[in-house]
Amino acid sequence: MPKRSEEMLMDLWLSLLLVWITCVLSVSMTPIIGQSKSTQTGGSAVVASGVGEGQRLLSRAKRGWVWNQMFVLEEFSGPDPILVGRLHTDKVDNDTARYSLAGEGAGTIFAINEKTGDIHAMKRLDREEKAEYTLTAKVTNGITGQLLEPMTEFIIKVQDINDNAPKFTEGPYHAAVEEMSAVGTSVITVTATDADDPVYGNSAKLVYSILEGQPYFSVDPNSATIRIALHGMDREMREDYQVVIQAKDMGGHMGGLSGTTTVSITLQDINDNPPKFSKSLYEFVIPEDLPLGKEGGKVKANDRDIGENAKSTYSIIEGDDQGVFEIITNATTQEGILQLRKPLDYESKRNYTLKVEATNIRSEPRSNGPFKDTATVKIVVEDSDEPPVFSKPMYLLEVDENAPINKIIGTVTARDPDATGSPIRYFIDRHTDLERQFNINVDNGRITLAKPLDRETDMWHNITVTATEVRNHSQISRAVVAIRVMDINDNAPEFATEYEAFLCENGKPGQVIQTVSAVDKDDPIQGHYFDYRLVPEMLNNPNFTIKNNQDNSISVLAKHDTFRRQKQEMYFLPIIVTDNGNPPMSSTNTLTIRVCGCSKDGIVQSCNVEAYVLPIGLSMGALIAILACIILLLVIVVLFVTLRRHKNEPLIIKDDEDVRENIIRYDDEGGGEEDTEAFDIATLQNPDGINGYLPRKDIKPDLQFMPRAGQHSADGDCKEQDNDKAIYGLHYNDECMYDLKKSKKTNQYWL
């Protein structure tokens, strides 16, 4: 009995302890998130309403499921599973009720005591992995298995603890800001994140601070914006900075977790420094023969800025009134290059003093100038042995084409520009005068004519004359001499081309036959004017006349219309052409005129005399067709004659048919025995012979006609003449065999 009492006392203490833990959890776990869901049947479920100021606690008389809000603390670990909560219903007998769970983590993460309804977390939970679990509770009769309460969903929330430090996901950062920026100028904003619950507690409330980078920069504790904190930050003093920013949770209080990031900040250059020459005085010695555009010296102004802010241009602001020098900027080295715009002359000026200025290309409104600097440049001209200098770079001379040999055409002059004044010698570059048509006096530069000139061959002659110092033969200068050959009237005019005129037989009097113009190789200043006339013996020409067209051309006209090809096919008309030169030149040119047959429209068709006898109106195609027919007939006649000459060859009849008769009828009447144009028809040979006689094979038959019957002529033919018919026969072995007969009246042959 005492033992039983101890067990009952122990159960009582356990029940009180469980109630106390449940009450503590329900009071201390705030906020309560997630309400249980239950399906009520018969109005037996307990419904809890919120209690607020001025509100009453509403409840129903009957209750079903009974449990508190369930929370489990994340990252909790211990030797035993942690109690999450208890499921309970007051509608059933606790001794027979059996509780079970289903849903997320049931049986693996969460376990339930089927008799008491206690739920335990079996594993360590992480809210950042999963913040809540949805489960389904079920209570059944342990004996019958009958469902005692409707199945109800409820949520177990994982309560957050501060177990995640802030992180800068985009770091490290790089930023740039202009130098000399004002205090408070924004540079960059950094952002950190915290995986803890931003709603519950201060685990995700971040505060930013700067660990490195003072006193140059500062950071806003809430927005994490980095700003300029020091006035007058100069890039030329320091360009790069490293700033370390810290983000701390729990609102920055002690015990919070923190994370850091590095921000690299570069000061951007502005044009706040002027160019500065490395020295205030530059001295150069330049030879007087320095070519134009060549470098005579260099100056440079340094700039502490970089990029476009360091670029400068150079100019000469004093000491170059005559514009002898120029200074250009080398974009790569940023140097000023001194060059010559005009040649130097040691004999006229030996010293120059220039003032050079360097100016920045870009200016900065926030910086105070000046953005320029000046330096003095002294130039000493060094004497050089210069080549001779011609009085003109090019000479233009003129000479008549009939000028005599050794005539002076012109003179070139050159001098030594040096103080020594060396004598000069002149020569012609024979590469420019291969035919040696000109000469020059070596001492005075007079150019004379060496050969006669013809303007019609070469109008211009370009020669090169060299001038050489006697004391220094290496000093040579050249000048071009252009010689123009002046024209004289030494060429007679002539026809522009070889004219050949055509005159129609049916032309009208006064018709223009040909327009004639002339050309002249000469080129007078006042231009050409040609005079045309017929030779004296043709002044009264009965056939043709000429008319001046007032444009240096004439028209040849016909005087009548009685020209005939059969009478005269071709006419020659000599014409004298005279120019207006001094003295005038003339030539006689002959115009050939052909008489041609023309169409009604005046189009020339034929100019040959033979063509005149052809029928008028036949075209060239018809003439060709007629000629082709004539040739074809000639070929047929030649073939026919050739066949007749081979008539004496034996006719071989390969078949056995006896050809006895061959009658040919003609409609025209024959001419009898005097008809020499009659056709010769050879007698067909019978292979079996005629009248039973076979010819001898060793004797070749002669198939020629005989003049009389019964006689053998020299030709070997047989012929018999009757009053109305003539009999032709074949001659075999000195015998006449008559087969074919011909009637004089009917022109018929028969056997």
Side-chain angles (χ1 to χ4, degrees):
M1 189 65 181
K3 185 177 182 180
R4 178 63 178 172
S5 300
E6 291 178 1
E7 290 179 359
M8 291 177 62
L9 184 60
M10 183 61 69
D11 291 337
L12 179 61
W13 279 108
L14 288 174
S15 300
L16 293 175
L17 181 60
L18 182 59
V19 171
W20 181 80
I21 292 174
T22 303
C23 292
V24 171
L25 289 175
S26 63
V27 173
S28 61
M29 297 298 181
T30 59
I32 301 173
I33 302 175
Q35 302 296 327
S36 62
K37 301 177 183 178
S38 61
T39 305
Q40 305 293 334
T41 59
S44 60
V46 175
V47 179
S49 60
V51 178
E53 183 180 358
Q55 294 180 339
R56 295 179 300 164
L57 181 62
L58 302 179
S59 62
R60 291 186 181 179
K62 295 183 178 181
R63 297 187 301 167
W65 285 107
V66 178
W67 63 76
N68 294 312
Q69 296 291 337
M70 294 188 183
F71 296 90
V72 60
L73 196 63
E74 71 169 333
E75 305 294 344
F76 180 82
S77 61
D80 298 322
I82 182 173
L83 179 63
V84 178
R86 171 178 291 182
L87 298 180
H88 178 68
T89 180
D90 56 0
K91 294 177 59 178
V92 297
D93 186 4
N94 290 333
D95 294 334
T96 61
R98 296 293 182 266
Y99 299 93
S100 62
L101 288 178
E104 297 177 338
T108 57
I109 299 176
F110 301 101
I112 189 171
N113 189 317
E114 65 177 4
K115 292 182 179 181
T116 63
D118 293 338
I119 301 174
H120 292 81
M122 308 300 294
K123 294 182 178 180
R124 181 176 174 180
L125 302 179
D126 188 358
R127 191 201 67 85
E128 285 69 42
E129 292 183 2
K130 191 171 180 62
E132 60 182 32
Y133 297 85
T134 302
L135 299 169
T136 302
K138 183 173 66 173
V139 58
T140 59
N141 189 309
I143 299 174
T144 64
Q146 182 181 2
L147 190 64
L148 300 179
E149 288 282 357
M151 295 178 62
T152 304
E153 286 186 353
F154 65 97
I155 296 176
I156 299 178
K157 290 185 175 293
V158 181
Q159 192 171 12
D160 183 53
I161 64 172
N162 189 19
D163 59 342
N164 291 279
K167 293 182 179 180
F168 292 90
T169 58
E170 298 180 3
Y173 295 86
H174 298 275
V177 64
E178 289 185 348
E179 63 175 331
M180 298 297 177
S181 296
V183 175
T185 301
S186 175
V187 179
I188 189 175
T189 298
V190 297
T191 303
T193 59
D194 195 317
D196 292 325
D197 191 352
V199 179
Y200 178 76
N202 294 326
S203 299
K205 185 177 181 181
L206 304 181
V207 174
Y208 298 90
S209 61
I210 184 168
L211 301 182
E212 294 182 14
Q214 294 105 342
Y216 308 105
F217 301 95
S218 63
V219 64
D220 188 284
N222 297 318
S223 64
T225 300
I226 301 175
R227 303 179 184 277
I228 296 291
L230 185 64
H231 176 73
M233 295 180 66
D234 191 358
R235 185 202 66 83
E236 287 71 37
M237 299 297 295
R238 181 177 176 182
E239 184 174 3
D240 298 316
Y241 296 85
Q242 295 290 330
V243 178
V244 178
I245 302 298
Q246 175 185 265
K248 190 173 183 181
D249 59 13
M250 299 300 292
H253 296 296
M254 186 179 295
L257 302 178
S258 64
T260 60
T261 187
T262 301
V263 182
S264 299
I265 300 177
T266 301
L267 293 184
Q268 293 178 330
D269 183 61
I270 64 172
N271 191 17
D272 58 340
N273 292 280
K276 187 68 176 177
F277 282 102
S278 58
K279 51 186 178 179
S280 59
L281 177 63
Y282 294 85
E283 294 182 347
F284 302 108
V285 177
I286 300 178
E288 64 171 331
D289 58 353
L290 180 70
L292 301 182
K294 293 294 183 179
E295 177 184 327
K298 296 188 295 186
V299 297
K300 184 175 183 180
N302 299 312
D303 196 320
R304 296 177 62 192
D305 296 321
I306 60 174
E308 294 294 326
N309 296 324
K311 292 183 178 181
S312 300
T313 58
Y314 298 86
S315 59
I316 300 174
I317 58 176
E318 291 181 10
D320 190 26
D321 298 336
Q322 298 178 352
V324 178
F325 300 94
E326 66 177 353
I327 188 167
I328 63 173
T329 304
N330 188 318
T332 304
T333 62
Q334 284 296 300
E335 294 176 324
I337 309 299
L338 195 65
Q339 297 179 350
L340 291 180
R341 296 179 61 187
K342 296 180 181 179
L344 296 175
D345 187 5
Y346 174 83
E347 287 71 27
S348 60
K349 190 171 184 178
R350 304 181 181 182
N351 296 283
Y352 294 88
T353 300
L354 309 177
K355 190 173 184 180
V356 178
E357 182 181 73
T359 306
N360 273 158
I361 296 177
R362 296 179 61 180
S363 60
E364 181 60 47
R366 292 177 296 177
S367 301
N368 297 324
F371 292 94
K372 59 182 67 176
D373 193 21
T374 59
T376 301
V377 178
K378 289 188 176 181
I379 299 172
V380 176
V381 180
E382 183 180 38
D383 187 24
S384 300
D385 189 4
E386 300 174 83
V389 178
F390 279 95
S391 60
K392 297 179 182 179
M394 180 177 179
Y395 293 85
L396 178 61
L397 306 179
E398 293 181 350
V399 58
D400 292 336
E401 62 178 324
N402 63 344
I405 304 300
N406 295 326
K407 176 180 175 60
I408 298 176
I409 301 174
T411 303
V412 297
T413 58
R415 65 177 182 85
D416 184 8
D418 298 322
T420 55
S422 173
I424 305 299
R425 294 290 181 266
Y426 302 93
F427 303 94
I428 293 178
D429 186 352
R430 291 304 175 183
H431 292 91
T432 61
D433 184 26
L434 296 177
E435 297 181 2
R436 295 182 175 270
Q437 294 177 302
F438 306 96
N439 290 324
I440 191 170
N441 189 301
V442 296
D443 295 322
N444 55 29
R446 290 180 180 176
I447 299 175
T448 57
L449 187 64
K451 292 182 179 180
L453 301 179
D454 185 5
R455 190 201 68 86
E456 286 70 41
T457 303
D458 288 310
M459 185 182 301
W460 288 92
H461 297 271
N462 295 320
I463 63 174
T464 300
V465 176
T466 61
T468 306
E469 292 183 6
V470 175
R471 298 173 185 173
N472 187 357
H473 292 184
S474 63
Q475 297 297 330
I476 301 175
S477 296
R478 298 175 182 271
V480 176
V481 179
I483 302 174
R484 180 181 180 182
V485 182
M486 304 302 294
D487 182 51
I488 64 171
N489 193 30
D490 58 345
N491 291 278
E494 56 187 12
F495 279 176
T497 184
E498 294 183 4
Y499 294 102
E500 185 176 10
F502 299 95
L503 173 63
C504 293
E505 288 181 317
N506 56 353
K508 297 179 180 180
Q511 180 181 2
V512 176
I513 302 173
Q514 181 71 44
T515 300
V516 177
S517 61
V519 293
D520 195 330
K521 294 181 180 179
D522 296 322
D523 187 17
I525 299 176
Q526 66 275 15
H528 287 292
Y529 177 78
F530 300 124
D531 177 64
Y532 300 86
R533 68 181 185 276
L534 298 176
V535 296
E537 57 269 22
M538 287 287 182
L539 292 178
N540 297 321
N541 190 314
N543 299 316
F544 308 101
T545 185
I546 61 175
K547 182 185 72 173
N548 195 337
N549 295 329
Q550 303 301 324
D551 58 354
N552 279 340
S553 68
I554 60 171
S555 296
V556 180
L557 310 177
K559 286 187 174 182
H560 58 82
D561 58 353
T562 59
F563 295 96
R564 295 294 181 265
R565 282 179 289 174
Q566 67 275 22
K567 180 180 179 181
Q568 184 173 348
E569 179 186 5
M570 189 177 300
Y571 294 87
F572 299 97
L573 184 65
I575 300 174
I576 300 174
V577 185
T578 306
D579 62 18
N580 59 334
N582 186 18
M585 302 289 291
S586 63
S587 66
T588 301
N589 301 265
T590 301
L591 176 65
T592 302
I593 303 174
R594 290 182 179 273
V595 181
C596 303
C598 302
S599 64
K600 295 180 180 180
D601 299 330
I603 299 175
V604 176
Q605 291 184 337
S606 175
C607 297
N608 298 325
V609 177
E610 294 80 0
Y612 180 77
V613 301
L614 295 176
I616 299 176
L618 289 179
S619 64
M620 184 61 67
L623 295 176
I624 294 175
I626 294 173
L627 181 62
C629 292
I630 294 173
I631 294 174
L632 181 60
L633 290 174
L634 290 176
V635 171
I636 293 174
V637 170
V638 171
L639 291 176
F640 181 76
V641 173
T642 303
L643 290 174
R644 285 197 53 176
R645 289 184 179 179
H646 292 79
K647 214 172 184 185
N648 54 354
E649 295 182 3
L651 300 175
I652 300 174
I653 302 176
K654 295 185 179 180
D655 53 20
D656 296 335
E657 182 181 358
D658 187 6
V659 180
R660 296 290 183 179
E661 183 175 3
N662 188 5
I663 299 175
I664 303 174
R665 182 179 179 86
Y666 296 88
D667 292 336
D668 56 343
E669 184 176 357
E673 58 183 310
E674 289 82 16
D675 188 3
T676 59
E677 300 298 325
F679 291 102
D680 180 18
I681 302 177
T683 304
L684 300 176
Q685 179 181 358
N686 190 342
D688 298 333
I690 302 176
N691 298 327
Y693 295 97
L694 294 174
R696 294 176 58 181
K697 296 182 179 180
D698 57 338
I699 299 176
K700 184 177 181 181
D702 194 349
L703 302 178
Q704 298 183 356
F705 291 103
M706 295 181 63
R708 294 184 298 273
Q711 296 183 1
H712 302 289
S713 66
D715 296 332
D717 289 340
C718 297
K719 181 178 180 184
E720 181 178 357
Q721 183 171 355
D722 200 359
N723 293 328
D724 60 344
K725 56 186 175 182
I727 301 174
Y728 294 83
L730 300 175
H731 179 248
Y732 293 101
N733 197 13
D734 298 331
E735 294 181 1
C736 292
M737 300 179 65
Y738 296 96
D739 286 332
L740 300 178
K741 298 179 180 180
K742 178 183 178 184
S743 173
K744 295 181 180 179
K745 298 179 180 180
T746 61
N747 287 333
Q748 294 181 353
Y749 291 86
W750 69 91
L751 290 175

